[in-house]
Structures are given as structure tokens and as C-alpha cells.
Amino acid sequence: MGVKVHGLALSTCTSRVLTILHEKGLDFELLPVNLLAGEHKQPHFLAKNPFGQIPVLEDGDLTLFESRAITAYVAEKFKENGVDLIRHNHLNEAALVKVWTEVESQSFHPAISPIVFQHIIVPMRGQTPDQAVIDANLEKLAKVLDVYEARLSSTKYLAGDFYSLADLHHLPYTYYFMKTPWASLVNERPHVKAWWEDISSRPAFKKVAEAMTLGQN
Amino acid sequence: MAAIKVHGSVISTAAMRVFATLYEKDIEFELVPIDLGAGEHKKEPFISLNPFGQVPAFEDGDLKLFESRAITQYIAHEYADKGTPLVIRDSKKMAIISLWSEVEGQKFDPAASKLTFELALKPMFKMTTNAAVVEENEAKLAVVLDVYETRLAQSKYLAGESFTLADLHHLPTIHYLMGTQSKKLFESRPHVRAWVADITARPAWNKVLAQQK
């Protein structure tokens, strides 16, 4: 069909997009972007994403950036393919998917991404992680996960008893977070732990996770 | 008794996002005031509506929602045929609206809301502004607004030639920042300036502001 993703398989945000493409069983081409060479800041790339970030998706004459806008587009366009990630025939369930998608964006992501960045990316640049930043965000993440623990004791997944885009969006950063010394934040919360084990063992994600090798020598 | 209720405060940026959407769609609703100063948002009965203890919370019949941008999207789709169209059915056009909505949520708001807190809200509560935070976030917001300037030279609104949810989501923080030193960031970029003037002049937005009087 000609869907192209410009990005890198080990990148969190690219992985978010690759996961949904696999969930939907879609053919696509992954075109690597050479971040080390600064390709993402070159004019030909900025023409696709003026913020100079991966991933970018091209579907015919449509060019999209922002991974969560890309996943929303794929989920909607291919809503009849594979698992229904947006509950398009159930308006109330669809609304709850949006609620927990926003929770990931607004509460989960801002806490977990600095931890992953400091622990995994910063050393790759030859610098020392800022423990104060890590500690402050571990505290925030713990509070968010307390709410998740309570939520997931009444529903199997975040938006209800069905896997949805809201759960999928958590996969890439949590995958890397579970390789840090602070995985106990997940493992000590039984419902969060069970949810994590369930969503991270989905075949579509396992395929993507094979290439998520950041921080490995 | 209205089927639609918004639990929140008329000065809360997130609640204002929801009010703006309801006024654009000409939908009746009941405002249930939440006393943030008294910590009402951190206790029952509010916390059952939003376990994160933040305003707004929203009810439409027996559907209960939180997160302002999830609420606005619900309203825009559920009441698509009422009032101002804020979303588009065509999936490619909708993707562009989603894209600029994500830009607001991921890039504009983190810097803009920190500036709003430091420059607009802290003074209201007699707290001291942190100059370093202001400097850092004005620099970040400037980078984002440079992209907006280029974008808004190509189209009248962020997602195309029509006002959509992507533009609306910016209104509350822009409103506060235009009353602070950070207004210079918007005024020094001609296309951004024109866009701000346009969207803040909308009658529905002025109804949101009238709630504060």
C-alpha cells in the first residue's frame, strides 16, 4: 500500500507507530533516519516535520508527524482491520480510550520520559545522569502508577476490559523503563505488573521490541 | 437539570478548554464549581470523577470523563452536527487536526502552562515568580512559535483554512500569556499575532471569559 515510516526501530516514538502497524497487519517500509549525522535537522527532513523529530509517516500524499497523531490516524483508517483499538462502534468506550490516551500523554509520559532519557540516553552521550531529575520524576511516576493500580483492579486494561490505543501508547517507554534499576515501581504494584506483562507479550509488540536495543552494548 | 455537567473552576485553563467547546457547539451545560483553594478537587466526591484529582471532570448522562482534551474530542465528535464544526470526518483532514492537537499537547502546552503558572497564576496567589523557569520556558516556547509562524503563513489556522479543535485547545493558555511579559513572543511573529487576534475574538471564547466576571 505504500506506507512509509521515517524513523529508527530502537526509538520509543517510532516503536509506538511500528507497534500499531503490526497490530493492524499492515505492510510498510521503515526508512532509517541518521540522527547521529543530524539528518533530522536537514531541510529535506524538516520539510516533513518542522520540529525535526522522528517518526514521520507518509501514506500517499499525506505526511504526518507526532507519533500519537500517527497512531490515531492508523487506528481510524484501518479500524476494520485486526483488533479495534479505538472502539469505534461504542461511543462511550471510545471516549474512555481518549481519556486514558490523554492520561498517558499528560501524566505518564512527562514522568517516565525524563527517567529513560537520563538513565539510557545521557550516558550514551558520555555525560552523567542527573539523579535529582530522576528522583523527582520517580516520585511523580509512583503517584501516577498508584492511580493505575486502583484503575486496573477494576478493569483489565486502562479504558475498560479491552486492549486499546491507550494501553499501546505506554509500551515503548515502559519497555525501556523496565530495564532501569527502578522497575520495582511496576513490579510492586500487582495489577500494573499483570497489565504490563499482558500488553508487552502481545506478538505485535514483541516483534517491535526485538529491535529496541538502546543502551545495549 | 442539564444532562451535561462540567465540574471545575472558571479560571482553570483545562476547564476553559471544555467551556470553549461547549459554547462553540451551543450546548447547554451545568457548571458545578470546585473550590480549588479548599482542596475540593483532591477529595470525594470529586476524586471519584477524576482519580488524578484535577479539574475538569465531565458528565454527559451516565458517561463520566476527565482530561480536558479527551472531553473536547468527545463533545466535538458526539455533537458534530451542532454549532461550529470542530472536527472533520475525512480521515486525512482529521489526521492533520490530530497532528496539530498533539503539537499543542506535547510541545506548546508544557512550556506555555509553566509560563502561565509563573507569570499569571502565582501573582494571583501572592507567590514569587521563578525567573529561571520563565527564561527557560520562554526560550522553548519561542522555538515552537517559530514553527507556528511558518505554518500560519501557509494556512489561516493550524490544521487548514477552518478553525478546529487544534486551534481551540490553545485559547486558555494564550489568554493568560497575553496578559504577561510573554505576550511579546506572540506579538513579534506577524502570522501568529494575526491568528491569536482572530481566535481570541471568537464570540464563544468571549462567553468563556464572561464566566469569570
Side-chain angles (χ1 to χ4, degrees):
Chain A
M1 178 80 263
V3 169
K4 295 184 179 144
V5 179
H6 300 263
L8 292 172
L10 46 61
S11 134
T12 45
C13 298
T14 303
S15 296
R16 204 176 267 131
V17 171
L18 300 183
T19 303
I20 195 177
L21 292 170
H22 286 301
E23 282 284 356
K24 294 293 178 179
L26 299 169
D27 283 330
F28 64 92
E29 207 183 330
L30 175 61
L31 300 168
V33 178
N34 192 336
L35 300 185
L36 286 175
E39 189 183 344
H40 53 315
K41 306 294 179 190
Q42 299 299 314
H44 74 274
F45 190 85
L46 292 174
K48 298 181 204 292
N49 181 355
F51 292 97
Q53 293 174 318
I54 55 172
V56 165
L57 179 130
E58 287 175 314
D59 183 11
D61 59 0
L62 180 68
T63 301
L64 295 177
F65 57 91
E66 286 300 325
S67 62
R68 297 172 188 81
I70 296 170
T71 58
Y73 168 72
V74 172
E76 171 61 34
K77 180 173 176 178
F78 298 100
K79 58 192 181 221
E80 310 291 355
N81 292 45
V83 62
D84 177 8
L85 294 168
I86 53 173
R87 315 300 291 175
H88 67 281
N89 288 324
H90 312 259
L91 187 68
N92 284 10
E93 290 179 355
L96 290 173
V97 173
K98 295 235 149 78
V99 166
W100 289 93
T101 303
E102 285 301 314
V103 168
E104 186 276 329
S105 270
Q106 295 292 328
S107 296
F108 182 87
H109 178 78
I112 201 170
S113 91
I115 300 167
V116 168
F117 182 76
Q118 289 296 327
H119 185 73
I120 298 179
I121 310 288
V122 163
M124 286 168 60
R125 298 175 176 183
Q127 292 160 353
T128 316
D130 186 335
Q131 195 58 44
V133 168
I134 294 175
D135 289 341
N137 285 289
L138 285 170
E139 205 180 315
K140 285 184 187 170
L141 185 59
K143 292 192 173 123
V144 171
L145 291 178
D146 284 342
V147 177
Y148 279 35
E149 181 63 16
R151 173 62 178 172
L152 293 165
S153 62
S154 60
T155 54
K156 187 167 185 213
Y157 299 97
L158 287 171
D161 290 325
F162 47 83
Y163 181 71
S164 77
L165 205 60
D167 307 288
L168 186 155
H169 280 176
H170 290 76
L171 287 162
Y173 276 94
T174 311
Y175 179 77
Y176 280 129
F177 177 79
M178 294 307 282
K179 295 181 184 298
T180 72
W182 308 289
S184 57
L185 256 67
V186 167
N187 290 329
E188 285 169 2
R189 290 169 172 79
H191 295 93
V192 175
K193 178 180 179 175
W195 165 77
W196 170 247
E197 283 170 1
D198 181 310
I199 66 173
S200 58
S201 61
R202 291 178 71 88
F205 182 63
K206 286 179 87 157
K207 217 185 250 188
V208 172
E210 277 167 27
M212 290 178 71
T213 52
L214 268 182
Q216 290 175 26
N217 297 319
Chain B
M1 183 150 94
I4 290 186
K5 293 182 188 169
V6 182
H7 302 252
S9 150
V10 295
I11 63 165
S12 141
T13 49
M16 288 163 84
R17 208 170 268 133
V18 174
F19 299 137
T21 308
L22 291 165
Y23 285 124
E24 286 286 353
K25 306 300 275 171
D26 211 5
I27 293 170
E28 302 231 327
F29 66 94
E30 186 187 331
L31 166 64
V32 180
I34 298 295
D35 187 345
L36 301 177
E40 200 181 336
H41 51 314
K42 303 293 183 191
K43 301 186 261 223
E44 295 294 0
F46 185 82
I47 208 122
S48 290
L49 292 171
N50 183 354
F52 292 92
Q54 294 172 314
V55 294
F58 174 90
E59 292 180 277
D60 186 357
D62 58 8
L63 177 66
K64 296 177 198 326
L65 303 175
F66 59 93
E67 285 297 332
S68 64
R69 296 169 186 84
I71 297 167
T72 59
Q73 286 181 73
Y74 165 76
I75 296 165
H77 283 101
E78 171 69 354
Y79 300 95
D81 297 328
K82 210 172 182 303
T84 312
L86 294 171
V87 291
I88 297 172
R89 283 200 169 90
D90 175 271
S91 67
K92 288 189 171 181
K93 292 185 175 151
M94 189 63 222
I96 304 298
I97 297 173
S98 294
L99 187 159
W100 288 97
S101 299
E102 282 300 314
V103 169
E104 185 274 331
Q106 293 292 326
K107 296 184 163 47
F108 179 90
D109 191 67
S113 63
K114 288 188 181 78
L115 288 169
T116 297
F117 182 66
E118 291 298 328
L119 295 169
L121 299 176
K122 269 184 162 178
M124 247 190 241
F125 301 110
K126 302 196 174 17
M127 294 162 67
T128 318
T129 297
N130 182 327
V133 172
V134 170
E135 191 179 338
E136 184 187 342
N137 286 285
E138 282 195 337
K140 286 182 179 172
L141 189 57
V143 170
V144 175
L145 291 178
D146 283 342
V147 176
Y148 279 36
E149 181 61 16
T150 306
R151 174 63 182 173
L152 293 164
Q154 299 162 352
S155 61
K156 189 169 183 207
Y157 298 97
L158 286 171
E161 294 308 312
S162 306
F163 178 79
T164 67
L165 218 53
D167 307 287
L168 184 154
H169 282 173
H170 292 77
L171 280 163
T173 40
I174 284 181
H175 165 72
Y176 281 114
L177 291 181
M178 292 307 281
T180 72
Q181 69 174 58
S182 298
K183 69 178 177 185
K184 63 183 185 287
L185 299 173
F186 298 90
E187 290 182 336
S188 59
R189 294 167 171 82
H191 295 95
V192 170
R193 181 190 187 137
W195 171 73
V196 167
D198 182 301
I199 65 175
T200 55
R202 293 180 70 87
W205 178 245
N206 286 283
K207 288 183 186 167
V208 177
L209 299 182
Q211 292 177 153
Q212 295 181 357
K213 298 187 174 119

